[in-house]
Amino acid sequence: MLTTYPKVVVIVLTWNSENDIIECLVSLRLLKYPNYEIIVVDNASTDRTPNIVKDNFPDVTLIINKKNLGFGGGFNVGIKEAIRRKADYIVCLNSDIVVDEHFLLELVKVGELSENVGGLCPIAYYYDQPNRINGAGGIVRIIHSKVFGCGEIDRGQYNKTKETRMLCGPALVLKRKALLDIGFFDTEYFYGPEDMDMALRLIKKGYKIMFVPHAKLWHKRRGATGGRITPLNMYFHVRNFLLFANKHASNKLELFISVLYFWLFDFPLTLLRALIFGGKHYVDAVIKGIIWHINPKILPSDEEMVKLLRKG
């Protein structure tokens, strides 16, 4: 049991989230934890999201960005405010999430067991199938990362708290001390794979990531792409695979193997999916992901690319 309750700041990043934000914030209001605050960072929504937060949640701090700063950039705005408020733990939460009332309590109980714990990974379920696991920790690698439990019915097979090597993308839970040590989110990705990047940065610095099965959330998987294959995620997948490999390859041989894998397997498969799922507009998005590495100035800004690719 906790004898003291470290301060937690929950940051909810929104972008055209009017269909999800109320349920998310209501679940956060019901948390059985005595020392937490909620910050909503809105990434220049064009729908009613900011007004919904203002009108229904006056106790929540709302920060409205003038433009879409992407996943990392948006959360970094909230992180700076959380640090100013002297948060001990920072939770970066997607807006299409509903949390269990003991979510924070269970996370902090495990986080306080060791100074060496830098990140915490809750268990995620599918919102429309509440007992089916979306993720229960995993392993981050440049090639073939593995999410444990994805698609499985929860029968108690992941009920042990243990060390893992993956953070939960929809709910990244970090200790302030570790975050200040490894640095904020890398804004160059804009949209994925910031969770994997952060996990590897923690591990490389010697921090542990703990999987906490009693900290539960339910993910609607709506987000920017609704969990579907779209030109938007195809573009950023192609672009960011090579960025991620270049950043985290441990040596030149690993980088060479990663790039070779990309060109021989990943890129052809992505191109095939583009042809199957959407044709020309999808293929165009894949090609643009390669063009970015040749000369990013040829393409519009990340914010404009999101607008263009979401039209298709």
Side-chain angles (χ1 to χ4, degrees), residues 21 33 53 66 73 84 99 109 115 118 123 129 161 192 223 253 259 291:
I21 190 60
Y33 190 83
V53 176
K66 293 181 179 179
R84 190 188 71 80
V99 299
K109 278 164 57 177
E115 286 285 326
I123 189 167
Q129 299 180 70
T161 299
L253 178 59
V259 172
I291 290 173

Side-chain angles (χ1 to χ4, degrees), residues 29 37-39 53-54 56-62 85:
R29 268 185 173 172
E37 296 180 26
I38 304 168
I39 298 172
V53 176
K54 286 179 188 176
N56 295 279
F57 303 93
D59 53 320
V60 170
T61 299
L62 174 63
R85 297 186 184 197

Side-chain angles (χ1 to χ4, degrees), residues 200-219:
L200 286 183
R201 286 159 63 189
L202 283 169
I203 292 166
K204 287 176 180 179
K205 277 281 190 173
Y207 290 101
K208 289 183 179 180
I209 301 170
M210 298 300 295
F211 170 62
V212 187
H214 301 298
K216 301 179 179 182
L217 64 85
W218 290 266
H219 188 196

Side-chain angles (χ1 to χ4, degrees), residues 2-15:
L2 293 171
T3 55
T4 60
Y5 294 90
K7 184 170 184 178
V8 181
V9 171
V10 181
I11 305 164
V12 181
L13 185 65
T14 59
W15 184 62

Side-chain angles (χ1 to χ4, degrees), residues 16 39 50 58 67 91 97 140 167 170 215 221 252:
N16 297 331
I39 298 172
K67 65 178 184 177
V91 181
I97 293 294
V140 175
L167 290 166
R221 290 173 59 82
K252 290 182 179 180

Side-chain angles (χ1 to χ4, degrees), residues 62 94 113 160 164 169 202 207 221 241 252 262 301 303:
L62 174 63
N94 286 9
L113 293 176
K160 291 184 179 179
T164 189
L202 283 169
Y207 290 101
R221 290 173 59 82
F241 183 104
K252 290 182 179 180
F262 174 79
S301 67
E303 184 184 19

